[in-house]
């Protein structure tokens, strides 16, 4: 029998991680490979999802990833993640990616944003219920509303693709 857990706030599971980039992560242009940035964002989102759900959670989708600026070798990369929306077993986690350039101490650049969908899983790998989300601020409420719009678009896109496949 599962225990009922009270709703949790976005601040309950919000996390910030930081790392120093290296040449081993660079692409042919000498910038940090986009896949490395996605990996950092996914790791951050995974910690947030685990904290909010109180157990294992897996990446179900990368809904959106926007690269705004390149990340350079030697930059400090900081990822900030929080739960934006919660369903029955799924959660949308927003991640903001920032850098502090190695040659401009104190200067912080917003270099990317990502939205991940995670599903909380039990020991058998099946979805399990997650606590509701209780927004604390107007910013939290805005993020929740935007996440609901992204979810509606994902569902509509899936239905449209299924309809096309059913006709072919």
């Amino acid at each position: 029998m599962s225990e009922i857990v009270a709703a949790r706030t976005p601040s309950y599971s919000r996390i910030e991680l930081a790392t120093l980039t290296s040449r081993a992560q660079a692409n042919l242009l000498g910038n940090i490979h986009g896949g490395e940035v996605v990996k950092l964002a996914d790791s951050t989102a995974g910690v947030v999802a685990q904290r909010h759900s109180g157990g294992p959670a897996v990446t179900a989708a990368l809904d959106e990833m926007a690269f705004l600026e390149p990340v350079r070798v030697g930059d400090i990369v900081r990822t900030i993640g929080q739960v934006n929306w919660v369903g029955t077993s799924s959660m949308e986690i927003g991640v903001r990616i920032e850098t502090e350039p190695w040659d401009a101490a104190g200067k912080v650049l917003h270099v990317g944003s990502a939205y991940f969908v995670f599903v909380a899983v039990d020991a058998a790998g099946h979805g399990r219920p997650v606590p509701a989300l209780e927004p604390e601020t107007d910013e939290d409420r805005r993020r929740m509303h935007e996440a609901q719009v992204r979810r509606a678009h994902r569902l509509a896109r899936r239905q449209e693709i299924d309809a096309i496949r059913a006709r072919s």
Side-chain angles (χ1 to χ4, degrees):
M1 185 165 163
S2 64
E3 176 184 324
I4 296 176
V5 178
R8 293 184 172 152
T9 61
S11 65
Y12 177 86
S13 55
R14 188 176 295 131
I15 188 78
E16 182 175 317
L17 302 175
T19 189
L20 181 65
T21 59
S22 71
R23 288 188 180 148
Q25 299 167 307
N27 62 22
L28 294 174
L29 297 175
N31 297 317
I32 300 305
H33 192 286
E36 295 288 339
V37 176
V38 172
K39 182 179 174 182
L40 289 169
D42 185 41
S43 295
T44 302
V47 172
V48 172
Q50 185 277 331
R51 281 185 171 191
H52 183 84
S53 70
V58 296
T59 309
L62 171 52
D63 190 47
E64 184 179 325
M65 177 76 201
F67 295 98
L68 306 174
E69 299 282 340
V71 177
R72 299 178 306 160
V73 171
D75 287 354
I76 297 169
V77 177
R78 187 175 303 110
T79 54
I80 304 103
Q82 80 170 52
V83 178
N84 291 337
W85 173 88
V86 171
T88 303
S89 62
S90 62
M91 303 160 274
E92 184 195 270
I93 314 297
V95 180
R96 178 182 172 98
I97 302 108
E98 299 176 341
T99 64
E100 185 174 325
W102 65 270
D103 58 352
K107 181 179 180 183
V108 176
L109 300 172
H110 177 203
V111 297
S113 294
Y115 301 98
F116 292 87
V117 178
F118 271 74
V119 174
V121 294
D122 61 19
H126 300 108
R128 62 179 174 80
V130 296
L133 185 64
E134 186 176 300
E136 301 168 280
T137 66
D138 287 342
E139 175 76 4
D140 293 341
R141 284 182 276 284
R142 178 192 62 79
R143 291 171 70 107
M144 181 184 279
H145 181 71
E146 289 175 1
Q148 290 168 332
V149 169
R150 282 186 290 274
R151 181 175 185 273
H153 287 183
R154 278 193 308 275
L155 295 175
R157 183 175 57 238
R158 183 183 311 153
Q159 288 174 346
E160 189 171 346
I161 289 170
D162 287 349
I164 291 168
R165 288 178 178 170
R167 289 192 304 264
S168 27

